[in-house]
């Protein structure tokens, strides 16, 4: 599921879960565990990337459509733990977005401290509304934290995805580079942040994300319950199955 290499103290995690790096329970648990393990030891920073033309296509809707309510109620907590492990990782995290980062995959990229994308490598955006599901509580807060406020309604309600230049202009990503330069540039960015005092970096990162932590403490549990009930509802699962039949299985 995850290929791990270390270069000069930087852990490079290459997602390798099928051709789309779709987020299912097992993949979420494995990636979250990897980030938790990297909290200790000599690793100075983390680069996360994918293979081929896809960074991550988001939640594995085929698994959701087949697993139904029972799977949903087990999967969403695993997705939450993944986002929490990456977003709140105390060391620098760079997303080297090699290709499409869609829906939950865009949220995963948004967890990073810096997002660098390969020019014309793919599209990025959150498409939850097109499927008919609300954002899990932490996923929404991560998007709210990452993107410019003026674009938040457009991104979350419109369900559009953006090519690299448009994504850069709208703040989905921080930098666009030639595909061949993606990983080298991500390593340079990781080394630059890793050169800072680790304790000062971790403390400052925590303070930057404090508003997310406070909102999750105040209303995260209630929001997550409401979101889970909608995802698990028969009419939502029917809508997801229809989306899978129309868009995914045909593709």
């Amino acid at each position: 599921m995850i290929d791990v290499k270390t270069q000069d103290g930087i852990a490079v995690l290459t997602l390798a879960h099928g051709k789309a790096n779709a987020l299912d329970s097992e993949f979420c648990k494995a990636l979250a565990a990897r980030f938790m393990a990297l909290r200790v030891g000599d690793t100075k920073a983390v680069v996360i990337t994918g293979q081929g033309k896809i960074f991550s296509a988001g939640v594995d809707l085929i698994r959701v459509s087949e697993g139904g309510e029972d799977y949903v109620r087990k999967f969403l907590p695993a997705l939450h733990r993944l986002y929490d492990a990456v977003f709140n990782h105390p060391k620098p995290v760079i997303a080297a977005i090699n290709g499409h980062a869609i829906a939950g995959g865009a949220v995963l990229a948004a967890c990073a401290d810096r997002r660098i994308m390969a020019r014309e490598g793919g599209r990025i955006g959150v498409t939850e509304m097109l499927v008919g599901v609300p954002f899990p509580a932490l996923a929404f807060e991560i998007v709210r934290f990452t993107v410019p406020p003026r674009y938040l309604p457009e991104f979350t309600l419109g369900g559009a995805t953006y090519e690299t230049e448009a994504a850069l202009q709208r703040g989905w990503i921080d930098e666009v580079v030639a595909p061949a330069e993606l990983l080298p540039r991500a390593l340079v960015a990781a080394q630059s942040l890793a050169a800072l005092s680790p304790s000062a970096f971790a403390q400052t990162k925590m303070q930057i994300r404090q508003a997310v932590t406070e909102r999750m403490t105040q209303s995260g549990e209630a929001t997550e319950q409401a979101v889970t009930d909608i995802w698990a509802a028969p009419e939502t699962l029917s809508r997801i199955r229809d989306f899978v039949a129309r868009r995914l299985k045909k593709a």
Side-chain angles (χ1 to χ4, degrees):
M1 291 184 180
I2 309 159
D3 178 66
V4 184
K5 290 184 173 61
T6 301
Q7 299 187 34
D8 298 323
I10 309 300
V12 179
L13 307 187
T14 302
L15 308 182
H17 186 47
K19 65 179 182 180
N21 289 321
L23 302 174
D24 57 25
S25 291
E26 295 80 10
F27 191 33
C28 288
K29 291 175 182 177
L31 191 52
R34 179 65 63 178
F35 267 88
M36 294 304 294
L38 289 171
R39 283 175 167 254
V40 298
D42 297 330
T43 298
K44 299 184 294 184
V46 183
V47 172
I48 181 171
T49 191
Q51 295 179 321
K53 297 181 179 180
I54 298 179
F55 176 78
S56 172
V59 171
D60 187 339
L61 293 175
I62 295 176
R63 284 286 301 277
V64 172
S65 69
E66 293 174 349
E69 179 179 356
D70 288 345
Y71 179 77
V72 165
R73 294 191 181 278
K74 294 175 182 177
F75 167 71
L76 289 179
L79 183 67
H80 173 94
R81 288 190 291 272
L82 168 61
Y83 290 151
D84 181 48
V86 182
F87 185 69
N88 291 307
H89 191 72
K91 300 175 183 180
V93 178
I94 308 297
I97 307 169
N98 56 293
H100 299 301
I102 308 299
V107 178
L108 179 60
C111 291
D113 299 298
R114 188 167 182 83
R115 288 158 299 284
I116 305 171
M117 193 167 186
R119 180 172 285 108
E120 299 180 356
R123 303 180 71 92
I124 186 170
V126 284
T127 57
E128 277 75 359
M129 288 297 101
L130 304 184
V131 179
V133 294
F135 289 81
L138 183 56
F140 184 87
E141 292 301 337
I142 289 169
V143 174
R144 190 213 301 262
F145 170 84
T146 300
V147 305
R150 62 176 292 199
Y151 289 118
L152 183 64
E154 174 186 330
F155 291 166
T156 56
L157 296 175
T161 60
Y162 302 88
E163 294 182 347
T164 50
E165 294 301 329
L168 180 64
Q169 293 170 4
R170 286 170 170 79
W172 259 123
I173 55 179
D174 301 303
E175 189 176 351
V176 176
V177 299
E181 294 300 317
L182 180 63
L183 188 55
R185 180 70 191 105
L187 288 168
V188 168
Q191 289 287 5
S192 178
L193 291 178
L196 302 172
S197 161
S199 59
F201 179 88
Q203 176 63 31
T204 303
K205 181 172 179 174
M206 183 178 67
Q207 290 174 232
I208 291 172
R209 286 158 165 69
Q210 186 171 349
V212 173
T213 301
E214 290 176 350
R215 279 195 290 267
M216 288 300 298
T217 299
Q218 292 167 2
S219 60
E221 184 175 351
T223 299
E224 196 67 17
Q225 183 61 60
V227 166
T228 300
D229 288 344
I230 294 173
W231 273 68
E235 58 269 25
T236 304
L237 291 169
S238 177
R239 192 175 291 114
I240 292 172
R241 292 185 187 105
D242 181 63
F243 181 88
V244 167
R246 287 185 294 107
R247 300 283 292 274
L248 299 186
K249 289 191 174 179
K250 288 183 179 181

